[in-house]
Amino acid sequence: MTEPISAGQFHAADGVEDWRSLYHVVTAYFPTGSLRRGIALADRIGQVLGEADEQDVTIDLRHSGVTVSLRRRDADLARRISAAAAGLGLTADPAAVQVVNITLDALTGADVLPFWRAVLGYGQIGDDYLYDPARRGPGFGLQQMTAARPDRNRMHVDVAVPHDQAEARVAAALAAGGHLVSDEHAPRWWTLADPEGNEACIATWLAPRRT
């Protein structure tokens, strides 16, 4: 197993142009245009995986394409999967990947997390994050508050997008009637809101700009 590397180190590696870092995973999307071609790609990926790789790879197979996510930033494994896709004549679409999480602001996370775990039927990682064991639904996280905040909604959507697509996604949201709440942490994340004040964050792996 390779040693953990940062998102920056992963993207600096050769041959990983198909892939984008999204929170703790790296992801690639290969349009296939048919379920048959998608199954062929999933089979080819299975052939190039080592036994130790299998637990780190998630494959989402749809009629339109295959999304592959790696739980560790393994550039060699990413290259092998890209080569398998290329061998079938498939080209990745790096702009088409994203990860969606729902985030709840909480004063006492230990009190509220068991409720949401029971409601969602999710598993738990650490003290503040829930996940779908079937890997179908969005993640659910807690964000610690130090004081009550009655003037703003306490639940929002976090969307991790490719670092080279974030500003376009923000611009599209603003053009669609949203407004900027804060760009203090950009390009790590922008906080936006719809016309009624419901918030969402657009996030990348990039470090915040220095002021």
Side-chain angles (χ1 to χ4, degrees):
M1 181 176 292
T2 59
E3 291 297 318
I5 62 174
S6 70
Q9 289 172 318
F10 177 85
H11 284 288
D14 293 330
V16 298
E17 294 80 11
D18 292 346
W19 300 80
R20 294 294 184 270
S21 292
L22 303 172
Y23 294 135
H24 58 287
V25 300
V26 290
T27 302
Y29 174 70
F30 300 95
T32 59
S34 72
L35 192 60
R36 178 181 56 80
R37 296 187 77 196
I39 292 171
L41 175 57
D43 180 66
R44 188 68 63 88
I45 291 172
Q47 294 175 30
V48 304
L49 296 181
E51 185 175 344
D53 299 325
E54 292 186 1
Q55 62 182 350
D56 293 316
V57 179
T58 299
I59 298 175
D60 185 284
L61 173 62
R62 308 294 173 103
H63 75 278
S64 55
V66 174
T67 302
V68 188
S69 296
L70 309 183
R71 293 176 58 190
R72 55 188 168 90
R73 301 184 187 101
D74 186 334
D76 177 66
L77 179 55
R79 284 190 289 264
R80 279 186 274 146
I81 293 172
S82 289
L88 295 173
L90 300 174
T91 302
D93 181 2
V97 298
Q98 66 178 22
V99 170
V100 177
N101 283 326
I102 298 171
T103 303
L104 175 69
D105 296 335
L107 289 169
T108 310
D111 291 342
V112 302
L113 200 63
F115 169 83
W116 289 103
R117 180 175 181 176
V119 166
L120 295 168
Y122 273 19
Q124 183 170 336
I125 298 175
D127 298 326
D128 60 0
Y129 189 76
L130 302 177
Y131 69 95
D132 179 1
R135 309 293 180 181
R136 292 189 297 259
F140 185 95
L142 296 184
Q143 184 168 285
Q144 182 67 46
M145 290 198 305
T146 57
R149 196 178 63 185
D151 57 320
R152 290 172 64 185
N153 290 346
R154 291 179 58 181
M155 188 174 290
H156 66 273
V157 176
D158 288 325
V159 185
V161 301
H163 60 277
D164 49 1
Q165 299 294 318
E167 292 192 15
R169 184 71 66 93
V170 170
L174 297 178
H179 65 270
L180 179 68
V181 175
S182 174
D183 62 358
E184 176 185 359
H185 302 283
R188 189 65 175 270
W189 76 83
W190 290 258
T191 302
L192 310 172
D194 69 16
E196 294 189 358
N198 303 296
E199 294 183 6
C201 290
I202 304 296
T204 76
W205 62 268
L206 296 173
R209 302 186 186 99
R210 294 183 180 273
T211 56

